[in-house]
Amino acid sequence: MATSLKYSGLLVLILALTLSLADADVHYHDFVVQATPVKRLCKTRSTITVNGQYPGPTLEVNNGDALVVNVVNRSRYNVTIHWHGIRQLRTAWADGPEFITQCPIRPGGSYAYRFTIEDQEGTLWWHAHSSWLRATVYGALIIYPAPGSSYPFPTADRETPILLGEWWNADPITVVRQATFSGSPPNVSDAYTINGQPGDLYSCSNTETTVVPINTGETNLLRVINSAMNQELFFMVANHDFTVVAVDASYLRPFTTSVIMLGPGQTTDVIITGDQSPGRYYMAASPYQTAQNAAFDNTTTTAILEYKSAPCPARGVPSYPVMPSLPAFNDTPTVTSFTQSLKSPQQVPVPTDIDENLFFTVGLGLFNCPPNFTPAQCQGPNGTRFTASMNNVSFVLPSTYSILQAYQQGIQGVFTTDFPPVPPVQFDYTGNVSQSLWQPVPDTKVYKLKFGSKVQIVLQDTSIVSGENHPIHIHGYDFFIIGEGFGNFDPSTDPDNFNLVDPPRRNTVGVPVNGWSVIRFVAYNPGVWLMHCHLDVHITWGLAMAFLVENGVGELETLEPPPADLPPC
Ligand SMILES: *[C@@H]1O[C@H](CO)[C@@H](O)[C@H](O)[C@H]1NC(C)=O
Ligand SMILES: *[C@@H]1O[C@H](CO)[C@@H](O)[C@H](O)[C@H]1NC(C)=O
Ligand SMILES: *[C@@H]1O[C@H](CO)[C@@H](O)[C@H](O)[C@H]1NC(C)=O
Ligand SMILES: *[C@@H]1O[C@H](CO)[C@@H](O)[C@H](O)[C@H]1NC(C)=O
Ligand SMILES: *[C@@H]1O[C@H](CO)[C@@H](O)[C@H](O)[C@H]1NC(C)=O
Ligand SMILES: *[C@@H]1O[C@H](CO)[C@@H](O)[C@H](O)[C@H]1NC(C)=O
Ligand SMILES: CC(=O)N[C@H]1CO[C@H](CO)[C@@H](O)[C@@H]1O
Ligand SMILES: [Cu+2]
């Protein structure tokens, strides 16, 4: 009896496996990275794109599917592609950040990224992870529920990806090279974009504004992605409230709001309902800016939500869409109230009995001008150069091997494993910090984690140069955000307020300006995983580190061998 039960159980299991294998698709795509003329704001410039498209192609898959994306580099730049938010279980080789998990695909080269979507649903995206190519090399990656399962909310009548972006009239690679040379902040962008278009509020841009359709009584699931380079953004649709249902491809307990804020890297799924009088309404994004005395692009991008039944405008009478009233650029209370509304739909498995209790400062810094530099190379305040760090280490990418290859092949001298678990010096992080503490140390340091460790990280912003809300992203993992606050984290009282029941799960957390966030995850994914600020200007300055997660026991806990076509260094 026991035996036959066991066998029937096994049969059911085999049947289920066969069924799920039959249902899972493998999606093959070719991504040709190439220079393409793109005209925006009345100027045409040669732009690096995928397949000539800006933004790039939308990938649509089901949970459980596999992707094979063959990237062919026909540009003159080194390139890699990152699949932002995909956990890449045991396939770190396909993650993409250059010199972390692979060397770049050289001009003329190619590499096929192969990976499987495991237990993830919702809105993610892909982007270049090499220099500033992601300014134009990006697109949506939409994961539908597996065949036979459905959303935990009523399916919307329509779904529309909304990619917020940032456009420079100059070549973004020239912009970052100029900044790296001079040590000053890079030039700010000329426009923000929605699905690649700046919209009506910019001069010379109102002929190709993005139009999103809706009908009276219909719902539309907007999959909003902040793919801007350097700016956190508010997003609103005039007269239409949002029901927020997911962030970073993790479902939420739905709630209603009129405004959302996304840092670069973050996604938010919201449902709108066609419950207003038929007409045209602007959807708009504008900056959330927290750094003091920093230049930023203070413009607003728009698209148009258009009721299909809207009456045609009377001949000769211009009809302007209704404009939402966006928050002020420095409206931190609105951001705090938004992030505090995010909750998982039910109780979630937050790790307790923490093995690794880490405390990382995140912030800016200034290097004194090195003796062999000219004044033109020291254009920061008082003849300094801008930098940034975590725990006083300003991250330097290797240039001869990727960290993952160096680790796997036992190559010495590429990185060290002594990234500090706590700040090397304790100070009043958000107070008036002595200038003797402003210069970090450039280095390539990782922090080693044993397979399965339960990790807590306190991310503490510093006021060095200026406090700022930093969108911190971890590759290879989603994490729970169990707390946030302003000022210095207090280990004796702040843990009392941790949410260990239903905190949101994300891959990118906005650390409050002059404040802190606490995240937890279990290190079940072997590989080398970059953690960095997703403002590209800050990663350029070194606001990054990497975790080296060791293999566990057996095949399912072990990194796969490197693919044969992994680009050589
Ligand atoms: C950046 O701005 C400065 C000052 O306006 C200008 O001289 C420079 O050409 C700009 N750089 C690029 C790459 O456009
Ligand atoms: C940004 O633009 C808005 C609207 O034009 C204006 O009210 C505000 O003062 C500007 N802020 C800064 C810091 O330039
Ligand atoms: C600039 O240098 C002066 C003189 O050394 C110093 O007093 C001042 O604090 C410096 N300012 C900054 C922002 O570094
Ligand atoms: C910060 O500290 C410096 C050095 O102690 C002092 O000169 C400066 O006035 C202080 N600034 C503020 C805003 O308190
Ligand atoms: C960072 O390290 C440098 C070099 O040791 C030191 O001068 C500086 O004070 C340190 N700053 C912090 C915040 O630890
Ligand atoms: C391109 O990548 C190679 C290593 O694969 C590196 O040596 C070279 O410096 C890179 N070129 C640029 C412009 O970064
Ligand atoms: C094989 C291939 O497509 N090579 C291209 C690589 O990029 C350079 C620079 O743009 C082109 O000249 C090559 O044709
Ligand atoms: Cu940052």
Side-chain angles (χ1 to χ4, degrees), residues 38-61:
V38 174
K39 186 174 184 181
R40 292 292 183 276
L41 308 176
C42 278
K43 296 182 187 74
T44 301
R45 96 166 145 75
S46 172
T47 299
I48 306 300
T49 66
V50 165
N51 300 348
Q53 292 172 248
Y54 167 71
T58 296
L59 299 180
E60 291 174 273
V61 299

Side-chain angles (χ1 to χ4, degrees), residues 76-78 98-99 103-107 130 177 399-400 567-569:
R76 60 199 176 94
Y77 300 115
N78 283 344
E98 71 171 353
F99 297 115
C103 283
I105 308 168
R106 308 287 288 271
S130 177
R177 285 187 180 164
S399 58
T400 48
C569 293

Side-chain angles (χ1 to χ4, degrees), residues 428-502:
D428 176 5
Y429 307 108
T430 53
N432 180 6
V433 182
S434 157
Q435 295 216 353
S436 65
L437 296 171
W438 285 27
Q439 293 200 64
V441 182
D443 216 330
T444 309
K445 290 181 188 292
V446 307
Y447 191 84
K448 221 183 221 188
L449 292 172
K450 287 219 174 329
F451 185 93
S453 338
K454 298 171 180 170
V455 183
Q456 169 174 298
I457 314 174
V458 176
L459 294 163
Q460 172 72 60
D461 185 31
T462 77
S463 57
I464 294 176
V465 185
S466 171
E468 184 163 359
N469 184 303
H470 297 281
I472 303 293
H473 172 51
I474 306 192
H475 290 229
Y477 291 91
D478 288 333
F479 48 76
F480 296 109
I481 306 172
I482 60 169
E484 66 167 36
F486 292 99
N488 298 338
F489 176 74
D490 183 340
S492 60
T493 56
D494 286 324
D496 295 345
N497 300 317
F498 283 170
N499 178 359
L500 302 178
V501 178
D502 58 0

Side-chain angles (χ1 to χ4, degrees), residues 125-138 173 226-230 264-265 532-536:
W125 60 302
W126 55 267
H127 62 78
H129 215 300
S130 177
S131 184
W132 273 27
L133 287 178
R134 82 166 179 85
T136 54
V137 177
Y138 65 88
I173 302 295
N226 187 344
S227 18
M229 292 295 283
N230 295 324
H532 64 95
C533 180
H534 219 286
L535 302 173
D536 266 49

Side-chain angles (χ1 to χ4, degrees), residues 309-350:
S309 54
C312 289
R315 193 181 278 274
V317 181
S319 107
Y320 297 104
V322 183
M323 184 68 192
S325 142
L326 288 149
F329 73 92
N330 58 358
D331 188 349
T332 293
T334 290
V335 173
T336 306
S337 121
F338 173 65
T339 55
Q340 290 184 346
S341 303
L342 307 180
K343 300 262 191 297
S344 283
Q346 64 274 316
Q347 186 162 357
V348 284
V350 183

